[in-house]
Amino acid sequence: MRVIQLTKCALSFLTHSQVIDYKEFIFILVVYLSIVKNTNEQDIALISNILYKYTRQSVLMPEGIMSSSTSPFLEMVRGEIRLRGYSLRTEKSYLFWIKQFILFHQKRHPATMGNGEVKQFLTWLAVKRHVAVNTQKVALNALVFLYHKVLKQELGELGFSLATKQRHLPSVLTPTEVAMIFQHLHDRDRLIVELLYASGLRITEALRLRVQDIDFDHFSICVRDAKGNKDRQTLLSESAIPQLKI
């Protein structure tokens, strides 16, 4: 906790400086912390490592974290997600909820926050936004990833209010309604929808299909890197074969 407080203090000090070079930044940081804050060398090393992760060779101030569409901090998080082989959908979802978390706390840097702020955000989602249970779980997973994997901070017991919004059964189209939809689709668009409907593919799975993934002899499709980074086999509708062979 002391390291986080000192890091916040150092960033506050550097907010009014024009330092953009990393070496100059670290030099001023060390001088400032050692003289003004009487900080030991171990704490200075830890703070330097934390700040280096965020800066990636340039200074990143808390109030400027969301100042552009390509935040260096969010790009760093994106890199950590891809390093661990998470799906593109998970990457987008995690980045969305991390950004919402930062905006909810008036663009404060996540390193200056912790257990209390995470609990407050998750409770707000349940009490004020009335999100579904799964939505709250996704937001929780995103913030746990941020603090455990990226910031290397333990959140401990959160004790937030759980979402109580009940699940609803989805509305399902009848075969007649599906046929009516197909009548208004043509060529490529119809083929994609046919694969979604007949083979049970997700949209991203259908769009990523390759020639070698389709087995016309056995009427099957091999879906590569599906949910959970697993491959699976599914059925190929005979009605889709003529279009696929063109």
Side-chain angles (χ1 to χ4, degrees):
M1 196 64 189
R2 169 180 165 80
V3 172
I4 295 175
Q5 292 173 344
L6 288 172
T7 304
K8 182 178 179 181
C9 187
L11 285 171
S12 176
F13 164 77
L14 289 165
T15 300
H16 303 93
S17 71
Q18 300 297 319
V19 181
I20 56 174
D21 179 75
Y22 175 67
K23 291 181 180 179
E24 184 184 1
F25 165 59
I26 291 298
F27 174 76
I28 293 178
L29 172 66
V30 171
V31 173
Y32 172 72
L33 292 179
S34 60
I35 297 176
V36 180
K37 291 299 177 181
N38 193 26
T39 309
N40 60 49
E41 293 182 0
Q42 184 178 5
D43 282 349
I44 291 175
L46 288 172
I47 294 167
S48 298
N49 288 334
I50 291 172
L51 293 173
Y52 178 72
K53 282 186 176 182
Y54 299 155
T55 60
R56 301 184 75 183
Q57 306 300 329
S58 63
V59 176
L60 175 63
M61 301 306 170
E63 60 272 19
I65 189 170
M66 304 297 293
S67 60
S68 65
S69 57
T70 55
S71 162
F73 177 76
L74 290 181
E75 287 303 311
M76 183 192 71
V77 176
R78 187 193 307 275
E80 292 288 342
I81 293 173
R82 293 187 178 181
L83 185 65
R84 289 168 170 78
Y86 286 38
S87 69
L88 182 60
R89 186 180 293 271
T90 300
E91 175 186 318
K92 290 181 178 179
S93 177
Y94 278 19
L95 289 175
F96 171 80
W97 284 114
I98 291 171
K99 182 176 180 178
Q100 292 303 308
F101 173 68
I102 295 171
L103 293 175
F104 176 77
H105 289 291
Q106 288 74 49
K107 301 182 181 179
R108 288 173 58 193
H109 200 290
T112 67
M113 300 185 281
N115 181 293
E117 288 79 7
V118 172
K119 176 182 177 181
Q120 184 182 359
F121 177 68
L122 294 174
T123 299
W124 173 76
L125 288 178
V127 177
K128 298 296 183 180
R129 290 283 300 275
H130 305 290
V131 300
V133 176
N134 285 342
T135 301
Q136 190 186 42
K137 286 181 179 178
V138 173
L140 171 62
N141 290 338
L143 296 179
V144 168
F145 176 88
L146 171 65
Y147 278 94
H148 286 193
K149 304 298 184 181
V150 181
L151 301 180
K152 308 299 182 184
Q153 296 181 24
E154 292 296 328
L155 289 175
E157 185 64 35
L158 293 173
F160 57 90
S161 298
L162 295 174
T164 56
K165 188 175 181 179
Q166 299 299 317
R167 297 179 181 178
H168 299 283
L169 291 175
S171 299
V172 181
L173 297 174
T174 65
T176 303
E177 291 171 330
V178 173
M180 292 174 63
I181 292 175
F182 283 143
Q183 290 175 3
H184 292 82
L185 297 174
H186 306 283
D187 304 325
R188 182 198 63 184
D189 296 337
R190 174 168 180 149
L191 175 60
I192 293 174
V193 176
E194 281 186 356
L195 290 173
L196 298 178
Y197 179 70
S199 301
L201 298 180
R202 298 178 177 88
I203 294 177
T204 53
E205 294 171 349
L207 297 178
R208 288 192 315 216
L209 280 179
R210 300 171 299 174
V211 175
Q212 57 264 42
D213 297 331
I214 303 172
D215 189 339
F216 295 113
D217 296 330
H218 296 89
F219 301 101
S220 67
I221 296 176
C222 181
V223 182
R224 310 284 183 183
D225 295 325
K227 191 171 183 179
N229 293 325
K230 297 179 182 178
D231 296 349
R232 77 171 194 276
Q233 291 276 72
T234 187
L235 300 175
L236 171 62
S237 173
E238 290 187 46
S239 63
I241 292 179
Q243 278 291 98
L244 288 170
K245 285 186 175 181
I246 294 178

